[in-house]
Amino acid sequence: MKRTYSLIALIVFGTISLSAQNDDHISDGLASVATIAGETATAGSPQDSVALTPADIPVWKQKLYYGYNFDIYFHHDSRPNRKENGWSIAVEPEIGWRLKERLYLGLRFGGSYQDSYTTYTHEEDNKTISEELRVQQGSWNVTPYVRYRLKSLFRGKVGIWMEAHLYAGMEFPRVTDGIVSGTDYDGLRHGIIYGAQLSPVITYQFSRKRGFQIFFSILSLGYSGTTFCYQDAVTGERHNEYTNDVIIFSGKLRNLIANQFTPGLYGLKFGIQKSF
């Protein structure tokens, strides 16, 4: 009798064990894999496990980035017998490559529009004569740059960078109202701009894919040059004039105190930077 009970118990136990091995929902659930939004995650795991780690992201997506920059400013230039007021807006897309964590290479290219009003005064028959001139100008430029991060703050969210860049482009001014003879725009056809600059940039990283950047041109150092191309309205003869300027932020601050804002020196350039 005991041997019979033992045999029955052995058969029942073996059947239960075999059923458990063939129908283990827990083991099958942990081993299954679900695809969510193009990424893989273990089923039943927290949703945070869907987030990619840097090792999961292709190298080109980690290093390649693009962005959009905007520069807007108002300027005022006051000189003897001449006062100028105006504004400008520029749009500069950019693309870049992260060589290292702190070192970036990039290229900006874009265009701008400027509208300015100038009042010229002179004495005539003991009277002060005023003449006004309005100039609208379009331009384009190309700017390769290298950027190095000096400091990270707030767990890497904020970055303080120093950027060195070259730039070259062309300006196309057009007199739309007022006098031309005897002014800087008399016979002016176009201008060629070029230079080099070193300036600080501050960035804020919203996420791995999105960041915000501000350029502080008022603190820049560098060199700028312009070649103005003229054509005589009567003889048709063409000639060029060259101007250059050493950009030192202390000089800009002196101009700021003297209420002489020269075009391009006091603009606030800001932009959005994105990764793929």
Short mmCIF file of all heavy atoms in Angstrom, two decimals, residues 140-199:
data_model
loop_
_atom_site.label_atom_id
_atom_site.label_comp_id
_atom_site.label_asym_id
_atom_site.label_seq_id
_atom_site.Cartn_x
_atom_site.Cartn_y
_atom_site.Cartn_z
N TRP A 140 25.74 89.11 -47.11
CA TRP A 140 25.87 87.69 -46.79
C TRP A 140 27.28 87.45 -46.29
O TRP A 140 28.20 88.23 -46.54
CB TRP A 140 25.57 86.81 -48.01
CG TRP A 140 26.50 87.04 -49.18
CD1 TRP A 140 26.30 87.87 -50.24
CD2 TRP A 140 27.78 86.42 -49.38
NE1 TRP A 140 27.36 87.81 -51.10
CE2 TRP A 140 28.29 86.93 -50.60
CE3 TRP A 140 28.54 85.51 -48.66
CZ2 TRP A 140 29.53 86.55 -51.11
CZ3 TRP A 140 29.78 85.13 -49.16
CH2 TRP A 140 30.25 85.64 -50.38
N ASN A 141 27.48 86.37 -45.55
CA ASN A 141 28.80 86.07 -44.99
C ASN A 141 28.95 84.58 -44.72
O ASN A 141 27.97 83.85 -44.58
CB ASN A 141 29.04 86.87 -43.70
CG ASN A 141 28.10 86.46 -42.60
OD1 ASN A 141 28.33 85.49 -41.88
ND2 ASN A 141 26.99 87.19 -42.46
N VAL A 142 30.20 84.15 -44.64
CA VAL A 142 30.57 82.78 -44.28
C VAL A 142 31.54 82.87 -43.11
O VAL A 142 32.49 83.65 -43.14
CB VAL A 142 31.22 82.04 -45.46
CG1 VAL A 142 31.64 80.64 -45.05
CG2 VAL A 142 30.27 81.99 -46.65
N THR A 143 31.30 82.06 -42.06
CA THR A 143 32.10 82.17 -40.83
C THR A 143 32.50 80.79 -40.32
O THR A 143 31.71 80.12 -39.64
CB THR A 143 31.30 82.90 -39.73
OG1 THR A 143 30.83 84.16 -40.23
CG2 THR A 143 32.16 83.13 -38.49
N PRO A 144 33.71 80.33 -40.61
CA PRO A 144 34.22 79.10 -39.96
C PRO A 144 34.71 79.43 -38.55
O PRO A 144 35.26 80.52 -38.32
CB PRO A 144 35.37 78.67 -40.87
CG PRO A 144 35.82 79.92 -41.54
CD PRO A 144 34.63 80.83 -41.64
N TYR A 145 34.52 78.50 -37.61
CA TYR A 145 34.91 78.80 -36.23
C TYR A 145 35.41 77.55 -35.50
O TYR A 145 35.13 76.42 -35.90
CB TYR A 145 33.75 79.43 -35.46
CG TYR A 145 32.58 78.50 -35.21
CD1 TYR A 145 32.56 77.63 -34.11
CD2 TYR A 145 31.48 78.48 -36.06
CE1 TYR A 145 31.49 76.78 -33.87
CE2 TYR A 145 30.41 77.64 -35.84
CZ TYR A 145 30.42 76.80 -34.74
OH TYR A 145 29.35 75.95 -34.50
N VAL A 146 36.15 77.81 -34.43
CA VAL A 146 36.54 76.76 -33.49
C VAL A 146 36.17 77.27 -32.10
O VAL A 146 36.35 78.44 -31.78
CB VAL A 146 38.05 76.45 -33.59
CG1 VAL A 146 38.89 77.70 -33.34
CG2 VAL A 146 38.45 75.34 -32.61
N ARG A 147 35.62 76.38 -31.29
CA ARG A 147 35.10 76.78 -29.97
C ARG A 147 35.63 75.84 -28.90
O ARG A 147 35.62 74.62 -29.07
CB ARG A 147 33.57 76.76 -30.01
CG ARG A 147 32.90 77.18 -28.72
CD ARG A 147 31.40 77.06 -28.83
NE ARG A 147 30.83 77.97 -29.81
CZ ARG A 147 29.52 78.07 -30.05
NH1 ARG A 147 28.67 77.32 -29.36
NH2 ARG A 147 29.08 78.91 -30.95
N TYR A 148 36.08 76.43 -27.77
CA TYR A 148 36.62 75.63 -26.66
C TYR A 148 35.89 75.98 -25.38
O TYR A 148 35.73 77.17 -25.05
CB TYR A 148 38.12 75.88 -26.50
CG TYR A 148 38.75 75.07 -25.40
CD1 TYR A 148 39.06 73.73 -25.59
CD2 TYR A 148 39.03 75.65 -24.16
CE1 TYR A 148 39.63 72.98 -24.58
CE2 TYR A 148 39.60 74.91 -23.14
CZ TYR A 148 39.90 73.57 -23.36
OH TYR A 148 40.46 72.83 -22.34
N ARG A 149 35.45 74.96 -24.64
CA ARG A 149 34.72 75.21 -23.39
C ARG A 149 35.69 75.44 -22.26
O ARG A 149 36.51 74.59 -21.93
CB ARG A 149 33.79 74.04 -23.08
CG ARG A 149 32.82 74.36 -21.94
CD ARG A 149 31.86 73.23 -21.65
NE ARG A 149 32.55 72.10 -21.06
CZ ARG A 149 32.34 70.82 -21.42
NH1 ARG A 149 31.48 70.55 -22.39
NH2 ARG A 149 32.99 69.84 -20.84
N LEU A 150 35.56 76.59 -21.64
CA LEU A 150 36.43 76.95 -20.51
C LEU A 150 35.91 76.42 -19.19
O LEU A 150 36.69 76.02 -18.32
CB LEU A 150 36.56 78.48 -20.43
CG LEU A 150 37.12 79.19 -21.67
CD1 LEU A 150 37.07 80.70 -21.46
CD2 LEU A 150 38.54 78.73 -21.95
N LYS A 151 34.58 76.41 -19.03
CA LYS A 151 34.00 76.06 -17.74
C LYS A 151 32.60 75.49 -17.91
O LYS A 151 31.85 75.92 -18.77
CB LYS A 151 33.92 77.32 -16.85
CG LYS A 151 33.46 77.09 -15.42
CD LYS A 151 34.53 76.41 -14.58
CE LYS A 151 34.10 76.31 -13.12
NZ LYS A 151 35.11 75.61 -12.31
N SER A 152 32.26 74.51 -17.06
CA SER A 152 30.90 73.96 -17.01
C SER A 152 30.31 74.26 -15.64
O SER A 152 30.99 74.13 -14.62
CB SER A 152 30.91 72.44 -17.24
OG SER A 152 31.25 72.15 -18.57
N LEU A 153 29.04 74.64 -15.63
CA LEU A 153 28.34 74.96 -14.39
C LEU A 153 27.02 74.21 -14.34
O LEU A 153 26.48 73.80 -15.37
CB LEU A 153 28.08 76.47 -14.31
CG LEU A 153 29.31 77.38 -14.38
CD1 LEU A 153 28.88 78.83 -14.49
CD2 LEU A 153 30.22 77.18 -13.18
N PHE A 154 26.51 74.04 -13.11
CA PHE A 154 25.20 73.43 -12.88
C PHE A 154 25.11 72.06 -13.57
O PHE A 154 24.23 71.81 -14.40
CB PHE A 154 24.08 74.35 -13.37
CG PHE A 154 24.12 75.72 -12.75
CD1 PHE A 154 24.54 76.82 -13.50
CD2 PHE A 154 23.79 75.91 -11.42
CE1 PHE A 154 24.59 78.08 -12.94
CE2 PHE A 154 23.84 77.17 -10.85
CZ PHE A 154 24.25 78.25 -11.61
N ARG A 155 26.06 71.20 -13.20
CA ARG A 155 26.09 69.82 -13.69
C ARG A 155 26.13 69.73 -15.21
O ARG A 155 25.50 68.89 -15.84
CB ARG A 155 24.89 69.04 -13.16
CG ARG A 155 24.87 68.92 -11.64
CD ARG A 155 23.68 68.10 -11.18
NE ARG A 155 23.66 67.96 -9.72
CZ ARG A 155 22.72 67.31 -9.05
NH1 ARG A 155 21.72 66.73 -9.71
NH2 ARG A 155 22.76 67.23 -7.73
N GLY A 156 26.87 70.65 -15.81
CA GLY A 156 27.06 70.61 -17.25
C GLY A 156 25.98 71.29 -18.06
O GLY A 156 26.06 71.33 -19.29
N LYS A 157 24.96 71.84 -17.40
CA LYS A 157 23.89 72.51 -18.12
C LYS A 157 24.37 73.80 -18.78
O LYS A 157 23.98 74.14 -19.90
CB LYS A 157 22.72 72.81 -17.18
CG LYS A 157 21.91 71.60 -16.75
CD LYS A 157 21.04 71.11 -17.89
CE LYS A 157 20.09 70.02 -17.43
NZ LYS A 157 19.24 69.53 -18.56
N VAL A 158 25.19 74.56 -18.06
CA VAL A 158 25.69 75.84 -18.55
C VAL A 158 27.15 75.70 -18.94
O VAL A 158 27.95 75.12 -18.19
CB VAL A 158 25.53 76.95 -17.48
CG1 VAL A 158 26.13 78.26 -17.97
CG2 VAL A 158 24.06 77.13 -17.13
N GLY A 159 27.50 76.21 -20.12
CA GLY A 159 28.88 76.17 -20.58
C GLY A 159 29.38 77.56 -20.91
O GLY A 159 28.65 78.37 -21.50
N ILE A 160 30.62 77.86 -20.52
CA ILE A 160 31.28 79.12 -20.86
C ILE A 160 32.37 78.79 -21.87
O ILE A 160 33.29 78.03 -21.57
CB ILE A 160 31.85 79.82 -19.62
CG1 ILE A 160 30.74 80.09 -18.61
CG2 ILE A 160 32.56 81.11 -20.01
CD1 ILE A 160 31.23 80.68 -17.30
N TRP A 161 32.27 79.36 -23.06
CA TRP A 161 33.15 79.01 -24.17
C TRP A 161 33.93 80.23 -24.65
O TRP A 161 33.49 81.37 -24.48
CB TRP A 161 32.34 78.48 -25.35
CG TRP A 161 31.45 77.33 -25.03
CD1 TRP A 161 30.27 77.36 -24.33
CD2 TRP A 161 31.66 75.96 -25.39
NE1 TRP A 161 29.73 76.09 -24.24
CE2 TRP A 161 30.55 75.22 -24.89
CE3 TRP A 161 32.65 75.29 -26.11
CZ2 TRP A 161 30.44 73.85 -25.07
CZ3 TRP A 161 32.53 73.92 -26.30
CH2 TRP A 161 31.44 73.21 -25.79
N MET A 162 35.06 79.98 -25.29
CA MET A 162 35.78 81.01 -26.02
C MET A 162 35.81 80.57 -27.48
O MET A 162 36.21 79.46 -27.79
CB MET A 162 37.19 81.19 -25.49
CG MET A 162 37.94 82.34 -26.16
SD MET A 162 37.11 83.95 -25.93
CE MET A 162 37.31 84.20 -24.16
N GLU A 163 35.33 81.45 -28.36
CA GLU A 163 35.24 81.10 -29.79
C GLU A 163 36.15 82.00 -30.61
O GLU A 163 36.17 83.21 -30.45
CB GLU A 163 33.80 81.25 -30.26
CG GLU A 163 33.64 80.97 -31.76
CD GLU A 163 32.22 81.16 -32.24
OE1 GLU A 163 31.34 80.40 -31.79
OE2 GLU A 163 32.00 82.08 -33.06
N ALA A 164 36.90 81.38 -31.52
CA ALA A 164 37.70 82.10 -32.50
C ALA A 164 37.13 81.81 -33.88
O ALA A 164 36.88 80.65 -34.23
CB ALA A 164 39.16 81.66 -32.43
N HIS A 165 36.89 82.87 -34.65
CA HIS A 165 36.34 82.64 -35.98
C HIS A 165 36.89 83.62 -37.01
O HIS A 165 37.37 84.71 -36.68
CB HIS A 165 34.80 82.71 -35.96
CG HIS A 165 34.25 84.06 -35.60
ND1 HIS A 165 33.62 84.32 -34.41
CD2 HIS A 165 34.22 85.22 -36.30
CE1 HIS A 165 33.22 85.58 -34.38
NE2 HIS A 165 33.58 86.15 -35.52
N LEU A 166 36.85 83.20 -38.25
CA LEU A 166 37.13 84.04 -39.40
C LEU A 166 35.81 84.33 -40.11
O LEU A 166 34.86 83.57 -39.98
CB LEU A 166 38.09 83.34 -40.36
CG LEU A 166 39.43 82.86 -39.79
CD1 LEU A 166 40.18 82.04 -40.83
CD2 LEU A 166 40.28 84.03 -39.33
N TYR A 167 35.76 85.42 -40.85
CA TYR A 167 34.54 85.69 -41.61
C TYR A 167 34.88 86.46 -42.88
O TYR A 167 35.87 87.18 -42.96
CB TYR A 167 33.51 86.46 -40.77
CG TYR A 167 33.94 87.83 -40.35
CD1 TYR A 167 33.68 88.95 -41.15
CD2 TYR A 167 34.58 88.04 -39.14
CE1 TYR A 167 34.06 90.22 -40.75
CE2 TYR A 167 34.97 89.30 -38.72
CZ TYR A 167 34.70 90.39 -39.54
OH TYR A 167 35.10 91.63 -39.15
N ALA A 168 34.04 86.26 -43.88
CA ALA A 168 34.18 86.97 -45.15
C ALA A 168 32.80 87.05 -45.79
O ALA A 168 31.97 86.15 -45.62
CB ALA A 168 35.15 86.25 -46.07
N GLY A 169 32.56 88.14 -46.51
CA GLY A 169 31.26 88.30 -47.15
C GLY A 169 31.21 89.55 -47.99
O GLY A 169 32.23 90.21 -48.25
N MET A 170 30.00 89.89 -48.42
CA MET A 170 29.80 91.08 -49.25
C MET A 170 28.58 91.86 -48.78
O MET A 170 27.62 91.28 -48.26
CB MET A 170 29.63 90.67 -50.72
CG MET A 170 30.85 90.01 -51.33
SD MET A 170 30.74 89.84 -53.14
CE MET A 170 30.89 91.56 -53.64
N GLU A 171 28.64 93.18 -48.97
CA GLU A 171 27.54 94.08 -48.62
C GLU A 171 27.07 94.79 -49.89
O GLU A 171 27.87 95.16 -50.75
CB GLU A 171 27.99 95.11 -47.60
CG GLU A 171 28.48 94.53 -46.29
CD GLU A 171 29.05 95.58 -45.35
OE1 GLU A 171 29.48 96.65 -45.85
OE2 GLU A 171 29.06 95.33 -44.14
N PHE A 172 25.76 95.00 -49.98
CA PHE A 172 25.18 95.65 -51.16
C PHE A 172 24.26 96.78 -50.71
O PHE A 172 23.05 96.59 -50.56
CB PHE A 172 24.41 94.62 -51.99
CG PHE A 172 25.24 93.45 -52.44
CD1 PHE A 172 25.30 92.30 -51.67
CD2 PHE A 172 25.98 93.52 -53.61
CE1 PHE A 172 26.07 91.22 -52.07
CE2 PHE A 172 26.75 92.45 -54.03
CZ PHE A 172 26.80 91.30 -53.25
N PRO A 173 24.81 97.98 -50.49
CA PRO A 173 23.99 99.10 -50.04
C PRO A 173 23.22 99.73 -51.20
O PRO A 173 23.65 99.70 -52.35
CB PRO A 173 25.02 100.08 -49.47
CG PRO A 173 26.27 99.77 -50.22
CD PRO A 173 26.24 98.31 -50.53
N ARG A 174 22.05 100.29 -50.86
CA ARG A 174 21.22 100.96 -51.87
C ARG A 174 20.59 102.20 -51.24
O ARG A 174 19.89 102.10 -50.22
CB ARG A 174 20.14 100.01 -52.37
CG ARG A 174 19.26 100.60 -53.47
CD ARG A 174 18.38 99.50 -54.07
NE ARG A 174 17.48 98.94 -53.08
CZ ARG A 174 16.21 99.34 -52.91
NH1 ARG A 174 15.73 100.34 -53.65
NH2 ARG A 174 15.45 98.78 -52.00
N VAL A 175 20.84 103.36 -51.83
CA VAL A 175 20.27 104.60 -51.33
C VAL A 175 18.82 104.68 -51.80
O VAL A 175 18.52 104.62 -52.99
CB VAL A 175 21.05 105.81 -51.85
CG1 VAL A 175 20.39 107.11 -51.41
CG2 VAL A 175 22.50 105.76 -51.37
N THR A 176 17.91 104.78 -50.84
CA THR A 176 16.48 104.79 -51.17
C THR A 176 15.83 106.16 -51.02
O THR A 176 14.74 106.38 -51.53
CB THR A 176 15.71 103.80 -50.28
OG1 THR A 176 15.92 104.14 -48.91
CG2 THR A 176 16.21 102.38 -50.52
N ASP A 177 16.51 107.08 -50.34
CA ASP A 177 15.92 108.41 -50.17
C ASP A 177 17.00 109.40 -49.75
O ASP A 177 17.92 109.04 -49.00
CB ASP A 177 14.81 108.37 -49.12
CG ASP A 177 14.01 109.66 -49.08
OD1 ASP A 177 14.01 110.39 -50.10
OD2 ASP A 177 13.38 109.96 -48.04
N GLY A 178 16.90 110.65 -50.25
CA GLY A 178 17.81 111.70 -49.81
C GLY A 178 18.97 111.94 -50.76
O GLY A 178 19.05 111.39 -51.85
N ILE A 179 19.90 112.73 -50.29
CA ILE A 179 21.06 113.15 -51.09
C ILE A 179 22.08 112.03 -51.19
O ILE A 179 22.14 111.15 -50.35
CB ILE A 179 21.73 114.39 -50.47
CG1 ILE A 179 22.13 114.07 -49.01
CG2 ILE A 179 20.80 115.58 -50.51
CD1 ILE A 179 23.52 114.47 -48.71
N VAL A 180 22.90 112.06 -52.24
CA VAL A 180 23.97 111.09 -52.42
C VAL A 180 25.30 111.79 -52.60
O VAL A 180 26.32 111.39 -52.05
CB VAL A 180 23.68 110.18 -53.65
CG1 VAL A 180 24.87 109.25 -53.89
CG2 VAL A 180 22.42 109.38 -53.43
N SER A 181 25.34 112.85 -53.39
CA SER A 181 26.57 113.56 -53.71
C SER A 181 27.26 114.06 -52.44
O SER A 181 26.62 114.66 -51.56
CB SER A 181 26.26 114.76 -54.62
OG SER A 181 27.44 115.47 -54.92
N GLY A 182 28.55 113.78 -52.34
CA GLY A 182 29.35 114.25 -51.21
C GLY A 182 29.28 113.37 -49.99
O GLY A 182 29.88 113.71 -48.96
N THR A 183 28.61 112.22 -50.06
CA THR A 183 28.52 111.31 -48.92
C THR A 183 29.36 110.06 -49.18
O THR A 183 29.88 109.85 -50.28
CB THR A 183 27.06 110.89 -48.65
OG1 THR A 183 26.62 110.02 -49.71
CG2 THR A 183 26.15 112.11 -48.59
N ASP A 184 29.45 109.21 -48.17
CA ASP A 184 30.20 107.96 -48.32
C ASP A 184 29.57 107.03 -49.36
O ASP A 184 30.22 106.10 -49.84
CB ASP A 184 30.26 107.23 -46.98
CG ASP A 184 31.05 108.00 -45.94
OD1 ASP A 184 31.90 108.83 -46.34
OD2 ASP A 184 30.82 107.79 -44.74
N TYR A 185 28.31 107.27 -49.69
CA TYR A 185 27.59 106.38 -50.61
C TYR A 185 27.58 106.90 -52.04
O TYR A 185 26.93 106.33 -52.91
CB TYR A 185 26.16 106.19 -50.12
CG TYR A 185 26.09 105.58 -48.75
CD1 TYR A 185 25.95 106.38 -47.61
CD2 TYR A 185 26.19 104.20 -48.59
CE1 TYR A 185 25.91 105.81 -46.35
CE2 TYR A 185 26.15 103.63 -47.33
CZ TYR A 185 26.01 104.45 -46.21
OH TYR A 185 25.98 103.88 -44.95
N ASP A 186 28.31 107.98 -52.31
CA ASP A 186 28.37 108.56 -53.65
C ASP A 186 29.14 107.62 -54.59
O ASP A 186 30.37 107.52 -54.52
CB ASP A 186 29.06 109.93 -53.58
CG ASP A 186 28.96 110.69 -54.89
OD1 ASP A 186 28.34 110.15 -55.84
OD2 ASP A 186 29.49 111.80 -54.97
N GLY A 187 28.42 106.90 -55.45
CA GLY A 187 29.06 105.99 -56.39
C GLY A 187 29.37 104.61 -55.80
O GLY A 187 29.95 103.77 -56.50
N LEU A 188 28.99 104.36 -54.56
CA LEU A 188 29.30 103.08 -53.93
C LEU A 188 28.48 101.96 -54.57
O LEU A 188 27.26 102.04 -54.68
CB LEU A 188 29.02 103.16 -52.43
CG LEU A 188 29.26 101.88 -51.62
CD1 LEU A 188 30.73 101.46 -51.70
CD2 LEU A 188 28.86 102.10 -50.16
N ARG A 189 29.18 100.89 -55.00
CA ARG A 189 28.51 99.75 -55.62
C ARG A 189 28.32 98.60 -54.64
O ARG A 189 27.26 98.05 -54.49
CB ARG A 189 29.31 99.28 -56.84
CG ARG A 189 29.39 100.32 -57.95
CD ARG A 189 30.35 99.87 -59.04
NE ARG A 189 29.96 98.60 -59.61
CZ ARG A 189 29.10 98.45 -60.62
NH1 ARG A 189 28.52 99.51 -61.15
NH2 ARG A 189 28.83 97.25 -61.11
N HIS A 190 29.39 98.21 -53.96
CA HIS A 190 29.32 97.13 -52.98
C HIS A 190 30.55 97.17 -52.08
O HIS A 190 31.51 97.89 -52.36
CB HIS A 190 29.20 95.76 -53.65
CG HIS A 190 30.36 95.41 -54.53
ND1 HIS A 190 30.38 95.68 -55.88
CD2 HIS A 190 31.56 94.82 -54.26
CE1 HIS A 190 31.52 95.28 -56.41
NE2 HIS A 190 32.26 94.76 -55.44
N GLY A 191 30.52 96.39 -51.03
CA GLY A 191 31.65 96.31 -50.11
C GLY A 191 32.00 94.86 -49.83
O GLY A 191 31.13 93.99 -49.80
N ILE A 192 33.28 94.61 -49.66
CA ILE A 192 33.78 93.27 -49.31
C ILE A 192 34.25 93.31 -47.86
O ILE A 192 35.09 94.15 -47.51
CB ILE A 192 34.93 92.85 -50.24
CG1 ILE A 192 34.46 92.86 -51.70
CG2 ILE A 192 35.43 91.45 -49.86
CD1 ILE A 192 35.58 92.64 -52.69
N ILE A 193 33.72 92.45 -47.02
CA ILE A 193 34.06 92.45 -45.60
C ILE A 193 34.85 91.19 -45.25
O ILE A 193 34.64 90.13 -45.82
CB ILE A 193 32.79 92.55 -44.72
CG1 ILE A 193 31.81 91.41 -45.04
CG2 ILE A 193 32.11 93.89 -44.91
CD1 ILE A 193 30.59 91.37 -44.15
N TYR A 194 35.75 91.31 -44.28
CA TYR A 194 36.57 90.18 -43.86
C TYR A 194 37.16 90.50 -42.48
O TYR A 194 37.21 91.67 -42.06
CB TYR A 194 37.70 89.93 -44.87
CG TYR A 194 38.40 91.19 -45.31
CD1 TYR A 194 39.49 91.71 -44.61
CD2 TYR A 194 37.95 91.89 -46.44
CE1 TYR A 194 40.12 92.87 -45.02
CE2 TYR A 194 38.56 93.05 -46.85
CZ TYR A 194 39.66 93.55 -46.14
OH TYR A 194 40.26 94.72 -46.54
N GLY A 195 37.58 89.46 -41.78
CA GLY A 195 38.17 89.71 -40.48
C GLY A 195 38.31 88.44 -39.65
O GLY A 195 38.01 87.33 -40.10
N ALA A 196 38.76 88.63 -38.43
CA ALA A 196 38.93 87.55 -37.46
C ALA A 196 38.50 88.08 -36.10
O ALA A 196 38.66 89.27 -35.81
CB ALA A 196 40.36 87.07 -37.41
N GLN A 197 37.96 87.20 -35.26
CA GLN A 197 37.42 87.66 -33.98
C GLN A 197 37.52 86.57 -32.93
O GLN A 197 37.44 85.37 -33.23
CB GLN A 197 35.95 88.06 -34.17
CG GLN A 197 35.41 88.95 -33.07
CD GLN A 197 34.09 89.59 -33.48
OE1 GLN A 197 33.71 89.57 -34.63
NE2 GLN A 197 33.40 90.17 -32.51
N LEU A 198 37.72 87.00 -31.70
CA LEU A 198 37.76 86.12 -30.54
C LEU A 198 36.75 86.66 -29.53
O LEU A 198 36.85 87.81 -29.10
CB LEU A 198 39.17 86.11 -29.93
CG LEU A 198 39.41 85.18 -28.74
CD1 LEU A 198 39.33 83.72 -29.19
CD2 LEU A 198 40.78 85.45 -28.12
N SER A 199 35.75 85.84 -29.17
CA SER A 199 34.70 86.34 -28.29
C SER A 199 34.12 85.22 -27.44
O SER A 199 34.16 84.05 -27.82
CB SER A 199 33.58 87.00 -29.11
OG SER A 199 33.03 86.08 -30.02
#
